[in-house]
Amino acid sequence: MRDGGWEPRRLAAVAVALPDGVTPSGTRGRILHAALGLFAEWGFHGTSIRKIGAAVGINSATLYAHYPSKEQVLADLVQIGHAELHHRLTEAVRAGGAPAERLAALMRAHVLAHTDFPLLSVVTNSELHALSAELAAPALALGVASERLLLDVLAAGIEDGSFDLPDVRLAARAIGGMGQRVGNWFGPDQPHTRTQVAEAFVSFALRIAGITTPIPPA
Amino acid sequence: MRDGGWEPRRLAAVAVALPDGVTPSGTRGRILHAALGLFAEWGFHGTSIRKIGAAVGINSATLYAHYPSKEQVLADLVQIGHAELHHRLTEAVRAGGAPAERLAALMRAHVLAHTDFPLLSVVTNSELHALSAELAAPALALGVASERLLLDVLAAGIEDGSFDLPDVRLAARAIGGMGQRVGNWFGPDQPHTRTQVAEAFVSFALRIAGITTPIPPA
DNA sequence: GTCTATACGACGATAGAC
DNA sequence: GTCTATCGTCGTATAGAC
């Protein structure tokens, strides 16, 4: 076997961060933070409970006083990630407005969720396959609900004639996809602020929907 | 530990496929195909050489008569994936033409590469972190070259005034990102053909660049 | 080239002292 | 709640017969 050397990252060098309010305190919270950084970098199966323990400064066995399994730690992270995104998206469209306004608000919220918690978005989007069906189900349901918000706004814009799109599904894939990848590259080593990225992507989403918009200079 | 049950996929149900010409024949090729399917579904660290052997119908130890390590199998797959994409993108812009034509050709080639080899694109994009720096380097270089093709076309369109974009980097992130995720959802269980997806995404890319285009009905 | 057998370290998880 | 110690399993990889 190799290992011991360095491996290339799949994300920018960013600090480990979790949303306020939902993160447990004490050792339980420190385990969650450490696992987030390690899962984002090495993947779930590439991270051992011994490495998590070392990062926290506890013995690996102590983890089991706080979580029933390593898998449950991932399940909590994935749930927090999907819940945070769904909460932000719901808030974004709560004010209502024309479809173009709601699409802009959705895209803005989506991008900012990924710039504010890039590691969480990477883990949430790319480690879900490591969860059993039972543990993944709650997060998957939230993901479906989040996708629904975008599909509904696109359908509304087609309905009232403000969008120029023959089909909502492919547009939703494109808009969702370009937002989802933000967590993989956003970080201090690139030149744009979170707001610049968000406003640029808002313009891109509106353009995809068939509305010509100026794009704010980055 | 759990396991034994089913786990959610991170991709659509698609057949395992590799590009013609570059894939080795015989047992070596069958190992590559089996590993592609397993890595795409379970990730590199979630796949054991015993599972690969079982999928091929050989003993796990026989793998080492064809590859020096499990990691080298992944390295070969990632290299094939990046090489295939880079080849197609290079061919797409070889004919030249106006920036809008070249952008359309690039996006079309990018999407079709991901619809034709979705598993390969998933492994290439999301398992690179499991490779050592040395084994990842050749593929990374190809990835940088592929990104360069897109950046150059966007810059040319701004230069000659045909594109309306203040900054090429964010547009490249958006256009590249929406294409990269195609491999995660394209498959027989969704209603669009590869051509429909490609033409829709071509229109999206042109719209992002600031060119108003009709989108072909899906 | 493929097999059987196995080395041997790392894995997730548990037991039990404090 | 944290530790030490350890269990049983599975990991990658090798040796050597055929």
Side-chain angles (χ1 to χ4, degrees), chain B residues 23-161:
Chain B
T23 308
S25 58
T27 303
R28 194 177 157 91
R30 287 163 59 220
I31 290 171
L32 211 57
H33 276 85
L36 172 58
L38 291 165
F39 291 166
E41 181 91 43
W42 309 100
F44 177 76
H45 290 299
T47 302
S48 68
I49 57 165
R50 295 183 216 273
K51 284 183 197 158
I52 297 172
V56 176
I58 58 170
N59 189 284
S60 63
T62 303
L63 188 147
Y64 293 92
H66 301 275
Y67 293 92
S69 66
K70 185 180 92 161
E71 193 190 2
Q72 186 63 57
V73 179
L74 175 60
D76 280 18
L77 286 170
V78 168
Q79 176 66 17
I80 289 171
H82 270 111
E84 175 71 12
L85 180 61
H86 183 259
H87 172 71
R88 288 184 179 217
L89 295 179
T90 304
E91 282 297 305
V93 292
R94 210 164 60 88
E101 289 175 56
R102 279 184 284 155
L103 176 57
L106 273 184
M107 185 83 249
R108 186 176 295 115
H110 194 189
V111 170
L112 291 179
H114 285 73
T115 60
D116 293 347
F117 305 105
L119 272 60
L120 188 60
S121 84
V122 167
V123 170
T124 298
N125 284 323
S126 63
E127 293 301 325
L128 204 127
H129 68 283
L131 286 179
S132 69
E134 300 78 44
L135 286 184
L140 277 176
L142 279 175
V144 169
S146 293
E147 194 188 5
R148 184 83 254 153
L149 293 173
L150 176 58
L151 287 166
D152 286 349
V153 166
L154 291 175
I158 291 175
E159 176 78 19
D160 77 357

Side-chain angles (χ1 to χ4, degrees), chain A residues 11-111:
Chain A
L11 37 85
V14 286
V16 177
L18 282 167
D20 288 334
V22 294
T23 309
S25 57
T27 303
R28 194 176 156 91
R30 287 161 60 218
I31 290 171
L32 211 57
H33 276 84
L36 172 57
L38 291 165
F39 291 166
E41 180 91 43
W42 309 99
F44 177 76
H45 290 298
T47 301
S48 68
I49 56 167
R50 289 168 173 80
K51 285 182 197 159
I52 297 173
V56 175
I58 57 171
N59 190 283
S60 64
T62 303
L63 188 147
Y64 293 92
H66 301 276
Y67 292 92
S69 67
K70 184 179 92 161
E71 193 189 2
Q72 187 63 57
V73 179
L74 175 61
D76 281 17
L77 286 169
V78 168
Q79 176 66 16
I80 289 171
H82 270 112
E84 174 72 12
L85 180 62
H86 183 259
H87 171 70
R88 288 184 179 217
L89 295 180
T90 304
E91 283 295 305
V93 291
R94 210 165 60 89
E101 289 175 56
R102 280 184 283 156
L103 176 58
L106 272 185
M107 186 83 249
R108 186 176 295 115
H110 195 188
V111 170

Side-chain angles (χ1 to χ4, degrees), chain B residues 168-181:
Chain B
V168 295
R169 289 164 297 189
L170 290 178
R173 298 285 194 190
I175 292 170
M178 77 190 197
Q180 270 184 346
R181 288 211 62 94

